[in-house]
Amino acid sequence: KQLYNKRWFKVFGGACVVVILFFLLLPFGVKYYLSDWLVKNGADQATIGSFWYNPLTSRLTLEGLDVQKDGKSLLSNSKIELDFGLFSLFKKDILLQRAIYKDLSIDLEQYADGKWRFATYTASGEKSATVEVSEEKAASVWAFRAEEAVFSNCTVTLKMVGFDLRLDIDDAEIKRFTTRDGQPSGTFSFKGKVNQAPVQLQLDTVQITPELRLGGKIVVADFKLNDL
């Protein structure tokens, strides 16, 4: 009996076709769902150029995003590329091996009632209850790690009551950022503008647990603190 006539071969071949079609069609489904979700949560219009996910390399790519409200673009990018480390999940680490953010622009605002608006999405301003965690439990909780994140030509606009901030990022890079205690310190470099004032950072120590520690060089020119 020929191999292709055997039942197990047909079942195996059919399963392979289904899996391949699933991963080929998944980006289109996610693209449609994300656009629809953005429109249902405040956007007048949401456009996504392309969305791809490679299950073999755990790489996610999002290009050509443009989210608008009242004729103004509140969230856009030309390229976001994220490489995840799936095997780190077994160690309760959410690992971002490498991230690239290119031409990203986002508008943020906090209203007087405490609610936050992220681009077109508005989140509740209710305060969450404080939960005390024991040292034993803290050692076993999930942690986030970012081995490398690169930003180029990005803009962040923040509005609060009596406070406006515009952050223009020419180039920025963060390495070995982690929320896991006992890990080596990360580094952070930044070149750009804060409210149109040139700022450069070169931090060789970035640590947030068990306490916040920052160390390095800061170069600021024509920065007016009274404007903050």
Side-chain angles (χ1 to χ4, degrees):
K1 191 174 181 179
Q2 294 181 339
L3 181 63
Y4 59 81
N5 286 327
K6 293 184 178 181
R7 186 172 181 274
W8 70 266
F9 183 79
K10 292 180 179 180
V11 173
F12 176 76
C16 290
V17 171
V18 171
V19 172
I20 293 173
L21 288 176
F22 172 78
F23 284 110
L24 287 176
L25 297 176
L26 178 63
F28 298 98
V30 173
K31 177 181 174 180
Y32 171 80
Y33 174 81
L34 182 58
S35 299
D36 183 65
W37 184 89
L38 288 168
V39 171
K40 289 180 178 179
N41 286 272
D44 293 335
Q45 180 180 350
T47 304
I48 299 176
S50 65
F51 176 92
W52 292 103
Y53 176 70
N54 187 331
L56 299 179
T57 61
S58 300
R59 173 175 294 179
L60 183 153
T61 304
L62 177 65
E63 297 180 338
L65 175 66
D66 186 21
V67 182
Q68 297 190 9
K69 185 176 180 63
D70 298 329
K72 181 181 179 182
S73 179
L74 300 181
L75 176 63
S76 63
N77 84 299
S78 65
K79 182 178 182 179
I80 294 178
E81 187 175 284
L82 307 175
D83 290 337
F84 295 96
L86 295 183
F87 290 106
S88 294
L89 295 176
F90 294 104
K91 300 179 181 179
K92 293 188 176 182
D93 281 343
I94 301 175
L95 173 62
L96 184 60
Q97 294 179 326
R98 179 174 171 81
I100 298 175
Y101 301 89
K102 186 177 180 181
D103 302 325
L104 174 66
S105 178
I106 184 170
D107 191 279
L108 310 174
E109 183 175 2
Q110 185 183 35
Y111 300 111
D113 59 2
K115 292 183 179 180
W116 276 94
R117 176 181 59 77
F118 302 90
T120 58
Y121 174 74
T122 301
S124 172
E126 297 179 357
K127 294 183 179 180
S128 58
T130 302
V131 179
E132 295 185 1
V133 181
S134 63
E135 293 184 2
E136 293 79 6
K137 189 174 182 180
S140 63
V141 299
W142 288 80
F144 173 76
R145 292 169 50 203
E147 289 298 319
E148 182 180 22
V150 179
F151 304 81
S152 61
N153 194 31
C154 298
T155 302
V156 179
T157 303
L158 173 62
K159 297 179 182 179
M160 301 174 69
V161 178
F163 179 85
D164 289 331
L165 177 69
R166 177 186 171 93
L167 182 66
D168 294 296
I169 305 173
D170 296 334
D171 295 288
E173 183 179 41
I174 185 168
K175 292 185 176 181
R176 297 190 307 276
F177 176 85
T178 181
T179 61
R180 179 76 71 189
D181 192 12
Q183 300 298 312
S185 299
T187 62
F188 177 65
S189 62
F190 172 91
K191 181 179 180 182
K193 295 180 180 179
V194 178
N195 288 350
Q196 301 303 315
V199 175
Q200 293 186 40
L201 302 176
Q202 190 66 50
L203 304 181
D204 52 21
T205 300
V206 176
Q207 182 177 313
I208 64 172
T209 56
E211 60 183 9
L212 179 64
R213 292 182 57 202
L214 301 174
K217 298 180 181 179
I218 301 177
V219 179
V220 181
D222 300 326
F223 191 71
K224 299 179 181 179
L225 295 177
N226 292 334
D227 292 340
L228 291 179

